[in-house]
Amino acid sequence: ASAAASQVDSNPSADSATPIDGSEAMKYSASATPTLPSGSFRPKQSLGQNFLRDGNTVMKIVRSFGLPSGSFRPKQSLGQNFLRDGNTVMKIVRSFGRDASETIKIRSDGETMIEGEVPGIRLVELGPGPGALTDPLVETFGTDVLQCIEIDPRSVDMLTERHPNLRVRYEDVLQTDYPALAEEEGGPLSIIGNLPYYITSQILFALADASHTGAVRSATVTMQYEVERIVSPTRCKAYGILSVVFQLYADCSIHFKIPPTVFYPQPKVNSALVGLRFIGPAALRQRFAGVRPADLRRVLTSTFQQRRKTVRNSLKKLAIEVCKGNKEAAKDLIGAEPLPLPKQILDARELGDCFALSQELPMDWASKRPEELTPGQFVELTRLIFGPKELNSGDENQSGASKRPEELTPGQFVELTRLIFGPKEFDDGDENQ
């Protein structure tokens, strides 16, 4: 166990630890796996020596987390299920280290891809509770780069007392302004948390929205295993709104399943640790290619709320709204042929981009059911429903493309420019592009 001891000795004060990068999180736990000495160093029967040789057992002993006694009991109203298994905790920390470090994009000159970004990881733990994850995170990363968001005042008091230098925000995670927090910290955030099951979807959507501006880089979170629909492919029952949104916004993976026995109290369902590596604003703009995310969500809600119907039938009401009550125009709209793919998507297809290759809307899209369309095809469906309306800040029933220049207002020229050059408005670096 000398390796584990040397790790503790090298870090006498967890609160004053020097911040390290995500790769250290993997080394940290690996260093605690002992190897039996070879040669003459054999157990002496006269000394009653029996050496521990299983790394997982060692980690359970060293990192075993004792739940606080007395009045600190999980609150059902907050959906609290506390982690109590040291081995599971360290597996979560290792997975977080990979998700966080591998999403930091470095240029050839060694600088980060985001101008002005403070190097390193900016770690935010959501709902730390009594600190099962917090303690090893403090010891691994230090308090300079870690902060927690917690709504339970008991946890805030406990963590503040245990780690005086740790920043603990007394706040509802659903009310957190992640872009503002990222700006305060100097760059994108890396999220970790044991999430309450009853608000998991709201938290995930909030993080996805924050990734639009590059405020959140990755999220490594526990959630109910039924949320495997995040990684579900098309043409299966589990495929739904979460699948489309998060496969559009991030590279998603299930790190491992988590049994109920590692929580207190034990939930009635299995859990999983899910890793979301958000693709970032530039790649997201390429995928959307001018489509508004709010419009996409309207299409997704309309189709998946009636998933047994064909896409044509589920979009009738939305099409009538878009066409300002004109039922004939709505009928034509949901029977229209797919629009040509935008240039940036065609360019991505030329480069072999897997997402772009599955983005073309089929000719018979209207007769399909929603689970048959890929995330990219939903983007193109949204473009078909809402796209032609982008130019029309006045009468949305008239086609902007058929007008003469003198018939367009200044606002409509802005929207026309956005349609043609939309992806370029975000190129703050080279203004010649």
Side-chain angles (χ1 to χ4, degrees), residues 325-346:
N326 187 329
K327 293 185 178 181
E328 286 301 317
K331 183 178 179 181
D332 292 339
L333 182 60
I334 57 176
E337 293 185 358
L339 297 174
L341 291 174
K343 183 179 184 302
Q344 57 265 47
I345 295 176
L346 292 174

Side-chain angles (χ1 to χ4, degrees), residues 267-344:
K268 297 180 181 179
V269 295
N270 287 321
S271 304
L273 184 72
V274 175
L276 303 174
R277 303 181 181 191
F278 293 101
I279 63 175
L284 202 55
R285 285 193 294 271
Q286 176 182 295
R287 289 184 176 183
F288 274 105
V291 168
R292 292 199 322 137
D295 293 338
L296 172 65
R297 292 192 184 182
R298 291 184 68 185
V299 170
L300 292 176
T301 301
S302 297
T303 53
F304 281 104
Q305 280 184 345
Q306 306 175 76
R307 61 182 303 146
R308 292 183 179 275
K309 294 184 177 182
T310 63
V311 174
R312 176 192 290 111
N313 289 334
S314 62
L315 286 179
K316 281 182 179 178
K317 184 177 178 180
L318 178 61
I320 292 173
E321 290 180 16
V322 170
C323 295
K324 300 296 185 182
N326 187 329
K327 293 185 178 181
E328 286 301 317
K331 183 178 179 181
D332 292 339
L333 182 60
I334 57 176
E337 293 185 358
L339 297 174
L341 291 174
K343 183 179 184 302
Q344 57 265 47

Side-chain angles (χ1 to χ4, degrees), residues 342-406:
K343 183 179 184 302
Q344 57 265 47
I345 295 176
L346 292 174
D347 291 343
R349 289 165 68 94
E350 287 291 325
L351 296 174
D353 183 276
C354 293
F355 189 92
L357 288 171
S358 66
Q359 199 157 344
E360 187 172 13
L361 196 63
M363 294 296 293
D364 61 343
W365 63 267
S367 63
K368 292 185 177 293
R369 288 185 168 82
E371 64 266 22
E372 297 181 86
L373 298 182
T374 68
Q377 288 169 341
F378 269 108
V379 172
E380 294 311 304
L381 176 58
T382 306
R383 190 189 315 282
L384 177 62
I385 301 298
F386 289 96
K389 311 301 178 187
E390 287 187 311
L391 298 175
N392 306 318
S393 57
D395 182 359
E396 292 191 8
N397 290 320
Q398 297 184 27
S399 172
S402 65
K403 290 181 176 293
R404 291 183 171 83
E406 63 268 24

Side-chain angles (χ1 to χ4, degrees), residues 242-264:
L242 280 178
S243 314
V244 175
V245 171
F246 287 97
Q247 290 174 35
L248 173 60
Y249 280 65
D251 295 326
C252 311
S253 61
I254 295 179
H255 290 302
F256 55 87
K257 291 184 181 180
I258 305 176
T261 53
V262 307
F263 295 98
Y264 175 77

